[in-house]
Amino acid sequence: MDVLTIIGQLINTTLVFATALIFTSLGGIFSEKSGVTNLGLEGLMIFGAFAAGVAGFYAQDAGLSGFGAACIGVLAAIVFGVLVSLIHAVASITFKADQVISGIVINFLAAGSTLYMVKLLFDGAGETGLISGFDKVNIPYLSTIPLIGDVFFHAYPTTYLAVLAVIVTYYVLYKTPFGLRLRSVGEHPSAADTVGIKVNRLRYIGVMLSGALAGIGGATITLTTTGTFSHNTISGQGYIAIAAMIFGKWNPWGAFGAAVFFGLAQAVRNYVQLFAWTQSIPQEVIYMLPYVLTIIVLVAAVGRSSAPSALGQPYDPSKR
């Protein structure tokens, strides 16, 4: 296998791994731009991956094609993500609970409840049945371009949607009245309230959007790379997405770049094992590479990233 082929495959695999991180980090941006800290992205991804696995399997079992079943799986992931995100929204916005603790509770709830439900639905098995999921598709004409065609234009539909989601998110946040209002309640909620903006309503919307996007992020993993859901399907991807959001300075394009960087780390983890000189390196060291890079990036980002001013602060209209 020549060097150019390896590099091309590495880039293509990078985009596969980055896709889930892109969706989830965008979800985190919506929540945190509205002023609600969301450490529950890991749990929301788990619920999304679970919903996609279960709904996709039963849809496929009912006779739908792999693509049709996968679409049903994505819809189920969105619904689950939104419903679970409402738990975080009610706790942190309505009852003004500690947002960090609320997010961690979501993560623990996801890890335990999804494993229990999988065993309940699949006769004690630790994973869902196999799903055909999405296949990679070629973009007409573009996929035939030498060198870059197979790299960038032969990908899963979710990868193209992730790039589109970045564009739409940026436009919504920075070019629409809704985006301006959402950002205002995360920066100066009291000032926003004085001009008639419903602070808590917008924060609910921000958290629910984070649930929908994180759910899609989890579904992406189930419906592309694994083909099934089990307790280790997500394995910390939600935390990496949080790191991508912070490293990207809560900007959609910044988060996209950071997600691609972390996706590259995961792709390198897979391809580095092809070389003879890595055989002496313990496999555990290779597999911990993406998480070590996550810690390094977060340490490097401390003091350089500027979070929304009112992030993590419950809003009390009586104290404005």
Side-chain angles (χ1 to χ4, degrees):
M1 188 179 294
D2 61 84
V3 175
L4 285 178
T5 301
I6 292 176
I7 293 175
Q9 292 181 354
L10 179 64
I11 296 173
N12 190 268
T13 304
T14 294
L15 295 176
V16 172
F17 284 122
T19 299
L21 300 179
I22 293 169
F23 278 119
T24 307
S25 62
L26 292 177
I29 288 173
F30 273 111
S31 178
E32 302 210 348
K33 278 291 189 181
S34 73
V36 181
T37 301
N38 196 345
L39 294 185
L41 294 178
E42 170 82 2
L44 293 170
M45 284 188 78
I46 293 174
F47 274 113
F50 162 78
V54 173
F57 173 79
Y58 283 113
Q60 184 176 273
D61 194 49
L64 284 181
S65 64
F67 180 81
C71 289
I72 295 295
V74 170
L75 291 175
I78 293 173
V79 172
F80 255 70
V82 170
L83 290 177
V84 176
S85 70
L86 279 172
I87 299 175
H88 181 51
V90 170
S92 59
I93 299 172
T94 301
F95 293 104
K96 300 177 175 56
D98 188 294
Q99 296 173 10
V100 172
I101 294 176
S102 176
I104 293 173
V105 168
I106 295 294
N107 294 338
F108 280 116
L109 176 65
S113 62
T114 54
L115 178 60
Y116 171 76
M117 286 188 284
V118 165
K119 288 182 176 291
L120 191 66
L121 293 170
F122 293 90
D123 299 322
E127 61 183 13
T128 62
L130 191 64
I131 311 162
S132 297
F134 292 113
D135 294 321
K136 288 187 176 181
V137 297
N138 292 315
I139 300 298
Y141 304 111
L142 295 177
S143 61
T144 60
I145 299 175
L147 297 179
I148 67 170
D150 280 339
V151 175
F152 296 105
F153 304 110
H154 176 65
Y156 291 109
T158 47
T159 300
Y160 302 123
L161 286 175
V163 176
L164 179 61
V166 174
I167 298 171
V168 171
T169 298
Y170 180 84
Y171 179 80
V172 168
L173 284 176
Y174 296 101
K175 303 295 181 181
T176 67
F178 168 77
L180 177 62
R181 295 187 185 109
L182 187 78
R183 289 184 288 121
S184 72
V185 302
E187 295 287 350
H188 303 288
S190 296
D193 193 9
T194 58
V195 296
I197 296 174
K198 303 296 184 182
V199 175
N200 287 345
R201 179 188 297 175
L202 280 171
R203 287 186 168 183
Y204 261 90
I205 293 173
V207 174
M208 291 167 67
L209 285 172
S210 77
L213 287 165
I216 296 174
T220 295
I221 298 176
T222 300
L223 299 173
T224 58
T225 56
T226 65
T228 186
F229 171 80
S230 66
H231 71 282
N232 62 351
T233 295
I234 302 303
S235 298
Q237 297 294 297
Y239 297 114
I240 296 177
I242 293 173
M245 174 187 67
I246 295 172
F247 190 48
K249 299 182 178 180
W250 289 269
N251 180 282
W253 286 111
F256 171 78
V260 171
F261 171 76
F262 288 124
L264 176 62
Q266 295 184 68
V268 168
R269 177 192 66 185
N270 285 5
Y271 279 90
V272 76
Q273 299 177 75
L274 298 176
F275 299 96
W277 59 269
T278 65
Q279 300 306 309
S280 60
I281 302 176
Q283 192 178 51
E284 291 79 7
V285 174
I286 295 174
Y287 271 81
M288 67 188 283
L289 177 62
Y291 307 103
V292 172
L293 284 176
T294 301
I295 295 172
I296 293 173
V297 165
L298 282 176
V299 171
V302 171
R304 299 183 181 182
S305 298
S306 180
S309 301
L311 181 61
Q313 302 173 15
Y315 178 63
D316 187 350
S318 64
K319 296 181 180 179
R320 66 177 184 177

